[in-house]
Amino acid sequence: FFELLFLKLNPNFSQHKKIIINQIETQIQYFKKKFKINDIKIDSHEHIHTIPWIYKILKNLKVF
């Protein structure tokens, strides 16, 4: 959690962010396809969705 929270301070933030966005999207698409569903709800036990830039990604994917 803290690593992601302070990732913005990393000089390579943009590169890391692209990788994370890709992973989130890929995992969500895989899950939806695997279980043949269109809508899912995400409730992170690690609370990563409280990190503003990750919340924005998830909100754009409409998983809340």
Side-chain angles (χ1 to χ4, degrees), residues 22-58:
N22 187 13
Q23 282 296 311
I24 290 172
E25 290 175 345
T26 301
Q27 289 180 32
I28 289 172
Q29 290 170 359
Y30 174 81
F31 182 88
K32 289 168 107 177
K33 185 176 180 180
K34 175 85 175 165
F35 293 100
K36 299 176 183 165
I37 58 174
N38 293 323
D39 298 321
I40 64 171
K41 302 288 182 207
I42 299 218
D43 184 14
S44 167
H45 71 279
E46 300 266 343
H47 302 289
I48 60 161
H49 62 281
T50 60
I51 299 170
W53 64 273
I54 291 186
Y55 174 80
K56 187 175 180 180
I57 295 166
L58 295 173

Side-chain angles (χ1 to χ4, degrees), residues 3-18:
E3 222 175 283
L4 287 171
L5 185 60
F6 293 105
L7 187 60
K8 274 194 167 184
L9 303 176
N10 186 309
N12 296 323
F13 171 68
S14 180
Q15 181 181 355
H16 290 294
K17 184 177 178 181
K18 287 178 186 176

